[in-house]
Amino acid sequence: MSATIQASRVARSNAVNLSSRSATADSRAFLAPAQSKGFSRKCALATRRDACVMKAAATDMVDSATGQAMMRKGIKVAANENVLTPRFYTTDFDEMEQLFSKEINPNLDESEFVAVLKEFQEDYNQKHFVRNETFRAAAENITGEERRIFIEFLERSCTAEFSGFLLYKELGRRLKKTSPVIAEIFTLMSRDEARHAGFLNKAMSDFDLALDLGFLTKNRKYTFFKPKFIFYATYLSEKIGYWRYISIYRHLQRNPDNQLYPIFQYFENWCQDENRHGDFFTALLKARSEFIDKDDLQARLWSRFFCLSVYVTMYLNDHSRSEFYESIGLDTTQFNMHVIKETNETTSRIFPEVPDVNHPDFKPILDNLVKTNTALAALGDSPMDSLQKAPLLASFVTDLLRLFFMKPLATGSIHINEEGSEFAI
């Protein structure tokens, strides 16, 4: 969604501990300190060289059950980055400090932030992420292509959660002096994301292929977003995450025979973390109302743009791996449209403008994007393939523009509490 840069201000890097034996412990039970406390330019260059060596060596190590490349025994090589893979983010921390500094903004109303902070301090899920013997047993019963698909799902989810941990941890550190209440909320959100990432990575180890998250911290590219873009994108990420988790949970509660792996049983409480995170970003947007001002053209356009970016990315990602959703008894298209509509309804309460996802042309355009994306993915890098890509790319861009210029819905309000509707297909 933006050009990538190496983050020079990332927090002291931490790796999620593969052990999650006790969820009663502090989030640090899921984290182990990395070797370096910071990122100097010299260190970053050396790390990238090490990464090349490790990746080269990894090509000789392959998991016998799935054929996936390993860095070393039990540790897989991370999936290649592309425009649809989960990203690590950084931002302008100086601008973020200015936006919420009490000294610069003496009239900033922190009452809602204080209320949100009390919610996070309750730590409702402190004892929720406790594993049992059914995890490993279930993983051993998932074989063949289904096993590869499950590992891919866990890896993408783990990477996304860990990305949130890194960003929130650094924001909590940087805002501590200028905005202590907001800083503490970010720190507590990083606690949640660390638990999620650790739980998912431990699940990957059930399949004998975990991630080296400390290595990813130092070697993955970081996408730079201005603070307001962080607000839009992260709000949507948390809210769409809520609707995805709760929808899968409700479906499997009604269809227990499709519950192939016990991690889904944790989604009901888990998704409430996502919901609380989204509500915090709602409070941030309300505190900086210029980002959601109905009379501001930029605010309306950016709101619509990020909605479409998140919806299209999810739709393309899920349809490129629909086998996973079919394995748990879901129809990928119906599931995606349900999540998009619910997320859009939730988002309409705060964003000044959202896409009309019920427009008769909306879903057909998404389906056409899936067809075009599938055709592009099937092409290689030969001169002939490059020629064939040109009209496909033109079609892809045209469809994106059609979505963007489709008449939007004028929305926005101050309400953030919601009742989740029942998921039914």
Side-chain angles (χ1 to χ4, degrees), residues 243-308:
W243 282 111
R244 286 172 64 83
Y245 284 161
I246 195 61
S247 299
I248 290 174
Y249 174 81
R250 289 170 177 167
H251 162 73
L252 291 175
Q253 287 297 299
R254 293 195 303 273
N255 302 276
D257 291 344
N258 291 320
Q259 189 125 220
L260 302 181
Y261 187 65
I263 199 168
F264 303 115
Q265 296 172 9
Y266 292 74
F267 276 14
E268 183 179 32
N269 285 26
W270 188 334
C271 75
Q272 295 305 326
D273 281 345
E274 311 295 330
N275 208 27
R276 279 186 286 272
H277 295 183
D279 288 348
F280 169 58
F281 279 99
T282 299
L284 288 177
L285 286 165
K286 287 164 63 178
R288 303 300 313 197
S289 58
E290 66 269 26
F291 299 146
I292 52 172
D293 185 354
K294 294 181 180 181
D295 296 323
D296 188 291
L297 178 61
Q298 282 196 32
R300 298 200 307 273
L301 292 178
W302 283 121
S303 294
R304 196 192 332 162
F305 170 82
F306 277 99
C307 283
L308 287 171

Side-chain angles (χ1 to χ4, degrees), residues 84 149 152-153 156-157 240 244 248 310-326 330-337 339-340 370 373:
L84 296 179
I149 292 167
E152 186 180 73
F153 165 75
R156 293 179 65 85
S157 300
I240 206 167
R244 286 172 64 83
I248 290 174
V310 170
Y311 301 163
V312 170
T313 298
M314 182 189 73
Y315 205 83
L316 294 179
N317 266 325
D318 287 359
H319 280 80
S320 67
R321 47 190 56 81
S322 59
E323 298 93 338
F324 168 76
Y325 299 96
E326 292 168 2
L330 283 171
D331 179 285
T332 306
T333 299
Q334 290 182 1
F335 168 69
N336 271 207
M337 289 307 301
V339 170
I340 287 172
V370 170
N373 188 57

Side-chain angles (χ1 to χ4, degrees), residues 206-219:
D206 291 335
F207 295 83
D208 301 315
L209 284 174
L211 291 173
D212 184 338
L213 295 173
F215 179 80
L216 279 182
T217 302
K218 293 180 286 187
N219 293 281

Side-chain angles (χ1 to χ4, degrees), residues 116-126 188 191:
V116 170
L117 176 58
K118 289 179 180 178
E119 278 285 296
F120 280 102
Q121 288 172 334
E122 290 292 331
D123 198 5
Y124 298 108
N125 284 334
Q126 184 184 37
L188 293 176
R191 170 204 66 194

Side-chain angles (χ1 to χ4, degrees), residues 10-17 28 30-34 36 162 165-166 169 213-215 217:
V10 177
R12 291 190 178 104
S13 55
N14 294 279
V16 171
N17 193 326
R28 283 172 292 182
F30 289 93
L31 301 174
S36 172
F162 191 63
F165 159 72
L166 290 174
K169 186 72 172 179
L213 295 173
F215 179 80
T217 302

Side-chain angles (χ1 to χ4, degrees), residues 132-160:
N132 54 50
E133 69 282 354
T134 64
F135 278 76
R136 185 75 185 186
E140 290 174 354
N141 290 327
I142 300 174
T143 60
E145 181 66 8
E146 196 171 69
R147 186 178 184 86
R148 183 193 65 77
I149 292 167
F150 258 78
I151 292 171
E152 186 180 73
F153 165 75
L154 292 171
E155 178 180 359
R156 293 179 65 85
S157 300
C158 180
T159 303

